[in-house]
Amino acid sequence: MWHGGSSLGHDTHEERANGAPPDEPSRRPALRGGTSAREATPRPRTKANAAAHDFADDDFHTVVSRADHLPETVTGVLEAEGSAPVEGRHAETEIVAWLFRENAEPRQVAVEDLTDLAADDQQFIWVDLARYERDALEEIGSRLDLPEAGIRVALAGWQRPRLGVFGDRFFAAATVPHADADARHVLASELDLFVGRNYLVSAHKRSLPFAERVLARAAQNPALLALDSAFLLSILIDELLALYEDLTEGLESEVEAMEERALTDASDAFLEDLLVLKRFVFAIHRLASQHRPLLGAFLRPDFPLVGGEEVEPYFRDLEARLGRLIDSLDAAREAVNGAFELYVSRVSHRTNEIVKVLTIVSATLLPATVVLGFFGTQFDSPHLGTFTGFVLMIVLILVLTTGALLVFYRWGWIGSGEARMRNQRVGRDTLPPVRER
């Protein structure tokens, strides 16, 4: 929750010293390290000024960018989002533009008015594109003078979280997990953010699960958005982390249920389910941990476009929150490994029980086999071939077999559950003490 009395402007202290009233147009500060309000004002692109507005390679500075490949260990669990469709192949394109002004309720505005509205430092514009086509993003880019390199990244398929600076504007990409916990499958969807002086454009090829919550929070204090575009950026990242946290809580419940199942189920089906869950947890952990360089870059000294005494604490809190989220996912991974160890212990215990049964059968039949073999030998004896010898053979078999069973009962290998536990304790108590050297 953002307090209404706080201010996110970078130069508020300096403006108060200069005596600038809060309602003057000069109250909106430039992005740290950016240009003045007049220089940062976007203009519509025409053939005459297109070359002047297009960012050249020298104007582009990559702050965070890494390889985009997905690990092979999550194949079948993690799927990457594809590129944006071309015109005519997507009938559900949704473009919503919101205008925020101090002491006024947020209201929707037309796309055709974005250029003029973004030039006013007294207001802020949030443009949200959902399930967009290629032409839709290019149209918004032409009206707000978005960097073409950032548009190309947004139109491409899923990429890891990255950050690029384009003069006094910057482009950030984050990953939104669209997870199906029942199917143990997650789709990595890209959330592209274009942040300028008076606007923020969020583009996503699928519906954003927390778009309504972001709007509700931003509407509580539109004056903060008018002071600094980084405020809305922090709300978007905060809701993204909340989505990961909700997903992590579900994973923790799944892991706990799997641990309980490991105590009673030693089947191959359980092992397959456990391995799928392990890959699922690993996939969520990988997607969440990829945001650590992005949030860390916002607070780096060489990234001047987000900062200030008012904004920086929010991003430091987000970075710490991400660290706690990753710690929770690490704990979930360890719990999955613990469930696997329980499964191995269960299988070992089951194997020991089978070995016990075979040992009991073998030890019980062995005395009878020896006695029968002895009396079945061919040699002259006045007693073996008589009725007395036969009775003696039966008695020996019964005595030796009963003795073997009594020994197993004493060890707790046979008998009822309570008797086995009692006999096992008695057996441990009767063992000779271990000598200390």
Side-chain angles (χ1 to χ4, degrees):
M1 182 68 65
W2 309 106
H3 299 285
S6 63
S7 174
L8 295 183
H10 297 310
D11 302 330
T12 53
H13 297 290
E14 180 181 353
E15 289 169 357
R16 293 194 190 102
N18 296 334
D23 294 332
E24 291 294 329
S26 61
R27 72 179 179 86
R28 167 175 279 281
L31 292 172
R32 239 172 59 189
T35 59
S36 63
R38 180 67 60 182
E39 293 170 344
T41 300
R43 293 180 293 158
R45 291 190 180 186
T46 62
K47 293 182 179 180
N49 63 17
H53 285 277
D54 288 343
F55 275 90
D57 294 338
D58 295 338
D59 298 314
F60 171 73
H61 171 58
T62 301
V63 181
V64 176
S65 179
R66 296 187 179 181
D68 304 326
H69 67 279
L70 295 175
E72 297 180 358
T73 54
V74 295
T75 302
V77 175
L78 179 60
E79 180 185 357
E81 182 182 57
S83 59
V86 297
E87 184 181 4
R89 294 178 55 186
H90 213 306
E92 300 180 356
T93 301
E94 182 178 354
I95 304 177
V96 181
W98 290 93
L99 177 65
F100 297 87
R101 293 183 61 92
E102 189 175 2
N103 300 325
E105 291 293 330
R107 62 183 179 89
Q108 294 190 29
V109 295
V111 175
E112 293 76 10
D113 300 331
L114 292 179
T115 303
D116 296 333
L117 294 174
D120 188 353
D121 284 343
Q122 300 296 319
Q123 54 199 15
F124 179 83
I125 299 174
W126 175 30
V127 183
D128 185 68
L129 291 86
R131 303 179 300 274
Y132 60 89
E133 300 173 352
R134 182 181 301 269
D135 290 349
L137 181 58
E138 291 178 348
E139 179 184 0
I140 299 299
S142 65
R143 295 184 180 278
L144 293 178
D145 196 20
L146 301 182
E148 291 189 352
I151 294 178
R152 289 195 297 269
V153 172
L155 292 176
W158 174 86
Q159 302 182 43
R160 289 172 56 111
R162 59 184 58 215
L163 179 63
V165 178
F166 304 84
D168 65 335
R169 297 160 287 176
F170 66 92
F171 165 81
T175 300
V176 179
H178 294 270
D180 186 351
D182 296 333
R184 304 284 168 78
H185 181 269
V186 58
L187 173 66
S189 178
E190 186 172 332
L191 172 61
D192 300 298
L193 304 170
F194 299 85
V195 184
R197 179 180 177 82
N198 299 336
Y199 66 85
L200 187 147
V201 177
S202 56
H204 38 95
K205 303 179 183 69
R206 283 169 173 76
S207 298
L208 200 61
F210 46 83
E212 294 183 359
R213 294 196 301 270
V214 172
L215 177 61
R217 292 178 58 179
Q220 291 178 358
N221 203 332
L224 296 178
L225 274 67
L227 287 174
D228 201 325
S229 56
F231 177 74
L232 182 59
L233 175 64
S234 67
I235 295 179
L236 285 164
I237 297 177
D238 182 78
E239 291 295 337
L240 176 62
L241 294 182
L243 179 63
Y244 275 100
E245 289 170 347
D246 293 341
L247 186 57
T248 302
E249 290 181 1
L251 289 178
E252 292 173 347
S253 300
E254 289 287 334
V255 172
E256 184 177 357
M258 196 65 70
E259 287 178 334
E260 295 179 356
R261 182 181 170 188
L263 297 174
T264 57
D265 191 354
S267 63
D268 294 338
F270 170 77
L271 181 59
E272 294 178 0
D273 294 342
L274 184 62
L275 292 177
V276 173
L277 178 61
K278 183 177 182 179
R279 288 196 294 266
F280 186 62
V281 173
F282 176 75
I284 300 300
H285 181 278
R286 175 61 65 90
L287 294 180
S289 61
Q290 289 177 352
H291 293 86
R292 177 170 285 174
L294 176 64
L295 292 183
F298 287 140
L299 301 172
R300 283 165 46 177
D302 60 341
F303 186 76
L305 302 182
V306 171
E309 297 179 357
E310 294 82 4
V311 177
E312 188 171 322
Y314 295 108
F315 284 90
R316 290 199 179 278
D317 179 71
L318 292 175
E319 186 180 28
R321 186 176 174 184
L322 176 61
R324 293 191 296 269
L325 171 64
I326 295 176
D327 291 340
S328 299
L329 289 171
D330 287 332
R333 293 177 62 183
E334 292 297 330
V336 172
N337 293 333
F340 180 76
E341 293 176 357
L342 288 175
Y343 170 79
V344 173
S345 300
R346 175 66 180 171
V347 172
S348 299
H349 179 72
R350 182 181 178 184
T351 303
N352 291 337
E353 292 296 324
I354 295 175
V355 172
K356 281 184 180 180
V357 172
L358 295 177
T359 302
I360 292 172
V361 173
S362 300
T364 303
L365 296 179
L366 179 61
T369 303
V370 173
V371 172
L372 291 174
F374 175 76
F375 281 88
T377 54
Q378 299 294 329
F379 61 91
D380 295 334
S381 174
H383 303 289
L384 294 181
T386 63
F387 178 77
T388 303
F390 175 77
V391 173
L392 178 62
M393 179 183 68
I394 297 298
V395 170
L396 287 175
I397 292 175
L398 292 176
V399 169
L400 293 176
T401 301
T402 303
L405 293 176
L406 288 175
V407 171
F408 291 131
Y409 179 81
R410 178 71 175 177
W411 288 354
W413 286 22
I414 58 177
S416 61
E418 295 181 357
R420 292 175 63 181
M421 294 180 62
R422 182 177 64 254
N423 292 332
Q424 287 177 357
R425 288 194 298 267
V426 172
R428 288 194 297 267
D429 295 338
T430 57
L431 291 176
V434 179
R435 287 185 174 181
E436 296 183 0
R437 296 184 178 179

